Structures are given as structure tokens and as C-alpha cells.
């Protein structure tokens, strides 16, 4: 059985890490490179850096920040924000990223998923889905950093992304984001059960039990964490110790 992954996420705006609730009320959470190094040293399995305002401001992701982070960490790094072409992907991979995350551009140009998969390998292509509940067992996709709703069903979009060549889904519940009340298990399970590629749960973790629930009850392959780590509510060592104690296969 593959080990479940614990993945810190750095939401970056204007060069610094920020965090809010449901994508609103952003507050300073620390220096991006310093936090990346800290989480690497604490035992993170991977790291995600998302330039959350790049698509909205119609600019490219910060290459220099990625180069600096890559010098400090030696675990897989996923980078997203403002990626619109295969060349953008190549630029980030050359700068030190191991995977690229696409959201808005994938929705507006689904062919980009296949083009990226063919050029870089499907293992490099992460399709990020920001989803909001509209009815029971119904979620729709949002783009542009959670600011623009679409009419696209989140579960169907995940299935389409897999069909087009995505190697992984990064699934964020906008309703739960930053609230520390637990992941949206219904959303996570619906997507994880609908696809064969790994699904990373995101949005809402507040305690180790929430991570256990996402990995076991909702079949997620990994758990993304932000504010609970940034503000010292939990550590990666504590999380892994808890999961291991409950029989979950995690890396040391």
C-alpha cells in the first residue's frame, strides 16, 4: 500500500505566505522560503506553493521564489498560479518544481492538460479544483483564485481531467477552507471514488482526526495543510505520530 502523504501548502500573495477563510480575509502567515525549509526539516512528504493572485492579476508565477525554495528543500515541489502554456510549465520545472498545478487555465482551455501531460509527463500535471457546494452532493468549480463561479460540476470535471491526462487532483473545499472544522468528506470521497488518480484533500483541517478521516473515510491519497501548521496548532511530527498510531502507513 502506498504511504499517505502529508503536504504543507504555501498560499503566496505578493511574495509572502497568506491565509484566510473561504479564500477571503487574507492575513500574513510568514516568509515563503523560511516556511518551506521548516516544513521540509519537520518531515513533510511534499510541498505545494500556490501563487493565489497570479491568475486574477493575469501574470506568471514567481520563478525566482521557486528557485530560492528549491535550494532549501529536497522533497517534491508542486507549483501553481498563472500557468497558461506548456512553456510556463517548462519554466517552472526548470526552476526546480517537480509538478505544476493548473486550475483556471485548465478550465478555460482543457486541452492544456493533455498538452502538458504529453510534453512533461502526466505525473507532473496536477489539476487543482476549487469547489463550492450548491446543493446536497453537488459542488461547482470556481476559478481565478475562488473569485469566479462556473457551472461545471466538480466531480465530473475531475473525471474529465483524468481522461485528458492529469496525474493528480488537488481538491479544495472553499466552504471549509481555513475554518479548521474538518475536510469536506462528502466532496473528497465523491471525487476520490470517481477517479483512479491520486486525490489530495484540502480545506478545513484543524486536528489530526480530520486528516485521518480524509485519508480513511474519504479515500484521499494525501492531506494538504496550511493555517494549522503556519500558526503552530499542529506539527508534522505530531500528525504522523497520530496517524501511525492508528495504523496509517506514513513515511517517517
Amino acid at each position: 500500500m502506498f504511504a499517505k502523504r502529508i503536504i504543507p501548502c504555501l498560499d503566496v500573495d505578493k511574495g509572502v505566505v497568506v491565509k484566510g477563510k473561504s479564500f477571503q480575509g487574507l492575513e500574513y502567515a510568514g516568509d515563503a522560503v523560511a516556511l518551506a525549509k521548516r516544513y521540509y526539516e519537520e518531515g513533510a512528504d511534499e510541498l505545494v506553493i500556490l501563487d493565489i493572485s497570479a491568475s486574477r492579476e493575469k501574470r506568471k508565477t514567481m520563478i525566482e521564489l521557486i528557485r530560492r525554495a528549491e535550494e532549501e528543500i529536497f522533497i517534491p515541489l508542486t507549483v501553481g498560479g498563472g500557468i497558461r502554456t506548456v512553456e510556463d510549465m517548462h519554466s517552472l520545472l526548470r526552476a526546480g518544481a517537480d509538478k505544476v498545478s493548473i486550475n483556471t487555465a485548465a478550465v478555460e482551455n482543457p486541452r492544456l492538460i493533455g498538452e502538458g501531460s504529453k510534453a512533461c509527463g502526466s505525473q507532473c500535471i496536477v489539476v487543482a479544483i476549487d469547489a463550492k457546494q450548491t446543493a446536497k452532493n453537488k459542488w461547482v468549480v470556481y476559478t481565478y483564485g475562488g473569485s469566479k463561479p462556473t457551472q461545471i460540476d466538480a466531480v465530473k470535471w475531475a473525471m474529465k481531467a483524468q481522461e485528458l491526462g492529469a496525474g493528480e487532483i488537488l481538491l479544495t473545499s472553499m466552504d471549509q477552507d481555513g475554518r479548521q472544522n474538518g475536510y469536506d468528506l462528502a466532496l473528497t470521497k465523491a471525487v476520490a471514488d470517481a477517479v483512479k488518480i491520486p486525490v489530495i484533500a484540502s480545506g478545513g483541517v484543524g486536528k489530526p482526526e480530520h486528516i485521518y478521516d480524509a485519508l480513511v473515510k474519504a479515500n484521499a491519497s494525501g492531506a494538504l495543510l496550511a493555517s494549522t501548521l503556519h500558526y503552530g496548532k499542529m506539527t508534522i511530527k505530531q500528525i504522523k505520530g497520530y496517524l501511525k498510531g492508528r495504523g496509517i502507513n506514513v513515511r517517517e
Side-chain angles (χ1 to χ4, degrees):
M1 181 183 294
F2 291 110
K4 299 291 189 176
R5 291 172 284 161
I6 303 301
I7 308 172
C9 179
L10 308 181
D11 292 325
V12 176
D13 186 23
K14 297 178 176 61
V16 300
V17 178
V18 295
K19 194 58 190 159
K21 292 181 180 179
S22 298
F23 292 34
Q24 302 295 320
L26 300 179
E27 297 178 354
Y28 175 77
D31 176 78
V33 176
L35 283 175
K37 182 178 181 181
R38 184 178 112 193
Y39 296 145
Y40 161 66
E41 292 174 344
E42 287 182 0
D45 297 306
E46 300 185 14
L47 188 75
V48 172
I49 298 180
L50 301 177
D51 188 341
I52 61 173
S53 56
S55 289
R56 189 167 59 248
E57 296 174 0
K58 301 188 184 303
R59 58 175 175 77
K60 296 184 178 181
T61 300
M62 299 162 292
I63 296 293
E64 186 55 36
L65 185 148
I66 303 309
R67 289 198 181 104
R68 288 170 51 218
E70 191 270 339
E71 292 175 354
E72 301 289 347
I73 66 172
F74 303 94
I75 52 176
L77 173 62
T78 299
V79 179
I83 299 169
R84 293 194 167 275
T85 66
V86 170
E87 182 51 41
D88 291 340
M89 297 177 184
H90 281 311
S91 295
L92 289 168
L93 294 173
R94 286 193 295 266
D98 298 281
K99 307 176 192 178
V100 293
S101 173
I102 51 177
N103 182 337
T104 300
V107 171
E108 295 184 343
N109 176 24
R111 289 179 300 176
L112 181 62
I113 300 172
E115 292 170 357
S117 179
K118 183 177 180 180
C120 306
S122 63
Q123 77 282 355
C124 292
I125 308 302
V126 178
V127 171
I129 300 176
D130 296 334
K132 197 168 188 178
Q133 188 168 13
T134 56
K136 185 176 180 179
N137 297 323
K138 172 74 174 179
W139 302 268
V140 298
V141 174
Y142 275 63
T143 55
Y144 291 94
S147 65
K148 184 177 180 180
T150 71
Q151 299 300 313
I152 300 171
D153 179 85
V155 178
K156 291 180 180 178
W157 173 232
M159 295 170 66
K160 183 66 174 179
Q162 173 184 255
E163 179 185 327
L164 291 170
E168 190 166 272
I169 300 293
L170 173 55
L171 179 65
T172 300
S173 164
M174 292 180 61
D175 301 294
Q176 294 298 98
D177 177 69
R179 299 187 180 279
Q180 301 184 23
N181 294 321
Y183 297 104
D184 186 331
L185 299 182
L187 167 64
T188 305
K189 190 175 190 308
V191 172
D193 289 352
V195 300
K196 295 180 180 180
I197 57 178
V199 173
I200 307 304
S202 171
V205 64
K207 54 186 179 180
E209 290 89 338
H210 294 154
I211 299 170
Y212 177 88
D213 288 344
L215 300 177
V216 175
K217 297 180 180 179
N219 300 327
S221 298
L224 203 74
L225 303 92
S227 54
T228 50
L229 292 178
H230 302 339
Y231 301 125
K233 188 171 182 179
M234 294 188 293
T235 67
I236 295 170
K237 183 177 181 180
Q238 288 171 338
I239 293 165
K240 288 192 170 184
Y242 173 85
L243 294 173
K244 191 173 182 180
R246 295 197 65 178
I248 303 300
N249 180 23
V250 292
R251 298 183 180 94
E252 297 293 340

